């Protein structure tokens, strides 16, 4: 079977793909490759313009801060990609991050000798448990994920506030070895960003190389047809919510290591940035196309925009305006790409007739 980031698997339940199917996937794959290249070009131009105005923008410390700033968003955007390609969305990731971050600090506070790898495993497990709640409610209630995760956004945040009870956990309450994880570098590259790269590579490889990963695109393209072709749609959707929760849990632990000071408000509003990063990165909000690599580029681009505007001393209001414009442009481009592929397929069919 060939590998593709953008379409349904070539063989599902023993079906053999037709030539139009192959042609459609080829067209979509090329168009999305161009889109990811355009993101790289936009990112390069943004860095160039900012550097011309302030040459310290590419100093070692500035680059380190930029990579640290985008690492957590990259992890969350990649997890969100798994959900969005199945024609769903998870609005609770910011609350999951905040809950796991506070739980991590509380663990160190109550058991000071806890090794940080244990805290990492506990945080990922707690995030996965939140994903189980989301996936289970969606599977049982058969209610759109938007509604369910909007509810769990407030539910998880409420648990966090009840647990915190106004308390704040400080860096002094956590081991120095754990806090070093948040700022340590390897050959000048922050460890947090290296972790994010591993997540991007792993998820990207899974979506491209595994049949279950390619089936997610089939589900997002047409859930009813995917179910008829033998794909366990409910099980796959449940699994992606668990995986997304686990990645949000990982991000929560890294957030605790990065910032040190924790309270119940950690991660508030982050879910909108996560969805924006995925959409700007080429993940179609209507499901069925996109890649982990594009979502990661979207997260880096949004983080760079924020840093650039600060360096250029532009009103922060324009950051939100620019992000909004990028989202609208991304949705419009998704529609344009879909129409272009459909037109080429119609032309090919007419020529063949």
């Amino acid at each position: 079977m060939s590998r593709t980031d953008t379409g349904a698997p070539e063989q599902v339940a023993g079906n053999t793909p037709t030539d139009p199917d192959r042609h459609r996937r080829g067209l979509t794959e090329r168009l999305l490759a161009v889109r990811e290249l355009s993101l790289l070009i936009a990112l390069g131009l943004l860095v160039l313009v900012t550097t011309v105005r302030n040459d310290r923008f590419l100093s070692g410390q500035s680059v380190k801060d930029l990579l640290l700033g985008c690492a957590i968003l990259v992890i969350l955007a990649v997890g969100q990609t798994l959900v969005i390609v199945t024609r769903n969305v998870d609005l609770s990731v910011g609350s999951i991050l905040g809950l796991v971050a506070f739980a991590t600090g509380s663990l160190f506070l109550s058991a000071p000798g806890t090794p940080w790898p244990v805290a990492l495993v506990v945080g990922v497990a707690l995030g996965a448990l939140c994903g189980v709640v989301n996936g289970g409610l969606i599977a049982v209630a058969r209610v759109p994920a938007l509604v369910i995760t909007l509810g769990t956004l407030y539910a998880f945040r409420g648990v966090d506030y009840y647990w915190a009870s106004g308390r704040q956990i400080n860096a002094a309450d956590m081991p120095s070895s754990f806090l070093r994880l948040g700022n340590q570098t390897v050959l000048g590259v922050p460890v947090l960003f290296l972790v994010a790269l591993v997540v991007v590579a792993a998820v990207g490889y899974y979506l491209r190389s595994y049949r279950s990963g390619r089936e997610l695109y089939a589900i997002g393209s047409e859930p009813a047809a995917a179910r008829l072709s033998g794909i366990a749609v409910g099980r796959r959707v449940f699994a992606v919510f668990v995986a997304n929760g686990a990645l949000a849990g990982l991000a929560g632990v890294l957030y605790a290591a990065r910032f040190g000071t924790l309270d119940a408000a950690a991660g508030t509003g982050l879910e909108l940035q996560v969805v924006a990063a995925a959409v700007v990165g080429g993940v179609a909000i209507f499901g069925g196309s996109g890649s982990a690599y594009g979502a990661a580029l979207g997260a880096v681009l949004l983080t760079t925009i924020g840093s650039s505007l600060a360096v250029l001393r532009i009103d922060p209001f324009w950051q939100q305006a620019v992000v909004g414009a990028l989202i609208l442009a991304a949705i419009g481009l998704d529609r344009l790409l879909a129409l272009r592929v459909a037109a080429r397929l119609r032309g090919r069919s007419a020529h063949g007739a």
Side-chain angles (χ1 to χ4, degrees):
M1 287 187 287
S2 69
R3 298 173 179 176
T4 174
D5 282 336
T6 58
E10 284 200 356
Q11 296 180 11
V12 176
N15 294 334
T16 302
T18 62
D19 287 339
D21 290 335
R22 291 194 184 97
H23 187 59
R24 178 186 178 116
R25 281 190 293 275
L27 281 174
T28 309
E29 188 173 38
R30 289 195 296 271
L31 290 171
L32 284 175
V34 170
R35 180 168 181 174
E36 290 177 5
L37 178 61
S38 68
L39 281 173
L40 278 173
I41 293 173
L43 181 61
L45 288 175
L46 178 62
V47 171
L48 178 62
V49 170
T50 308
T51 304
V52 168
R53 293 288 301 273
N54 188 334
D55 57 3
R56 289 180 295 177
F57 185 68
L58 282 183
S59 66
Q61 186 60 45
S62 294
V63 172
K64 177 185 174 182
D65 292 340
L66 182 62
L67 295 180
L68 279 172
C70 72
I72 291 173
L73 185 59
V74 166
I75 294 172
L76 292 173
V78 169
Q80 192 72 230
T81 298
L82 291 170
V83 175
I84 294 179
V85 295
T86 64
R87 202 180 286 193
N88 289 287
V89 67
D90 188 348
L91 297 179
S92 67
V93 289
S95 297
I96 295 175
L97 179 146
L99 179 60
V100 172
F102 193 83
T104 302
S106 297
L107 177 61
F108 287 126
L109 194 61
S110 60
T114 303
W116 69 259
V118 173
L120 181 65
V121 172
V122 171
V124 171
L126 179 57
L129 180 61
C130 293
V132 168
V133 173
N134 283 333
L137 288 174
I138 291 167
V140 172
R142 297 188 179 277
V143 175
L146 177 67
V147 177
I148 293 293
T149 59
L150 182 61
T152 55
L153 179 157
Y154 289 105
F156 295 150
R157 184 65 66 184
V159 171
D160 197 6
Y161 272 102
Y162 178 79
W163 189 359
S165 300
R167 291 182 297 126
Q168 185 179 72
I169 298 175
N170 299 310
D173 300 320
M174 290 181 276
S176 57
S177 59
F178 176 70
L179 295 174
R180 280 198 299 270
L181 181 67
N183 293 284
Q184 194 171 12
T185 61
V186 176
L187 299 177
V189 181
V191 171
L192 263 62
F193 188 74
L194 293 176
V195 172
L197 288 181
V198 171
V199 170
V200 172
V203 174
Y205 183 78
Y206 167 74
L207 289 174
R208 185 179 181 89
S209 304
Y210 284 81
R211 177 172 178 166
S212 57
R214 295 192 297 273
E215 285 176 350
L216 299 182
Y217 292 104
I219 294 170
S221 297
E222 187 51 63
R227 188 174 287 107
L228 289 174
S229 67
I231 297 176
V233 174
R235 187 184 307 167
R236 292 281 182 266
V237 171
F238 177 81
V240 298
F241 273 97
V242 175
N244 185 46
L247 289 176
L250 171 63
V253 176
L254 298 181
Y255 182 98
R258 170 79 175 91
F259 295 102
T261 301
L262 306 169
D263 57 27
T268 300
L270 193 56
E271 53 279 338
L272 297 182
Q273 297 179 44
V274 173
V275 174
V279 172
V280 169
V283 182
I285 195 65
F286 303 111
S289 68
S291 72
Y293 311 112
L297 283 174
V300 174
L301 178 61
L302 294 188
T303 305
T304 306
I305 288 173
S307 299
S308 296
L309 294 182
V311 170
L312 297 175
R313 297 180 181 178
I314 297 176
D315 193 322
F317 161 79
W318 289 106
Q319 178 180 356
Q320 301 179 35
V322 169
V323 171
L326 286 174
I327 292 173
L328 293 176
I331 293 174
L333 185 57
D334 282 336
R335 181 59 179 164
L336 180 61
L337 291 178
L339 292 174
R340 187 173 179 181
V341 169
R344 289 195 179 186
L345 288 175
R346 285 196 300 269
R348 182 183 175 87
S349 299
H351 181 74

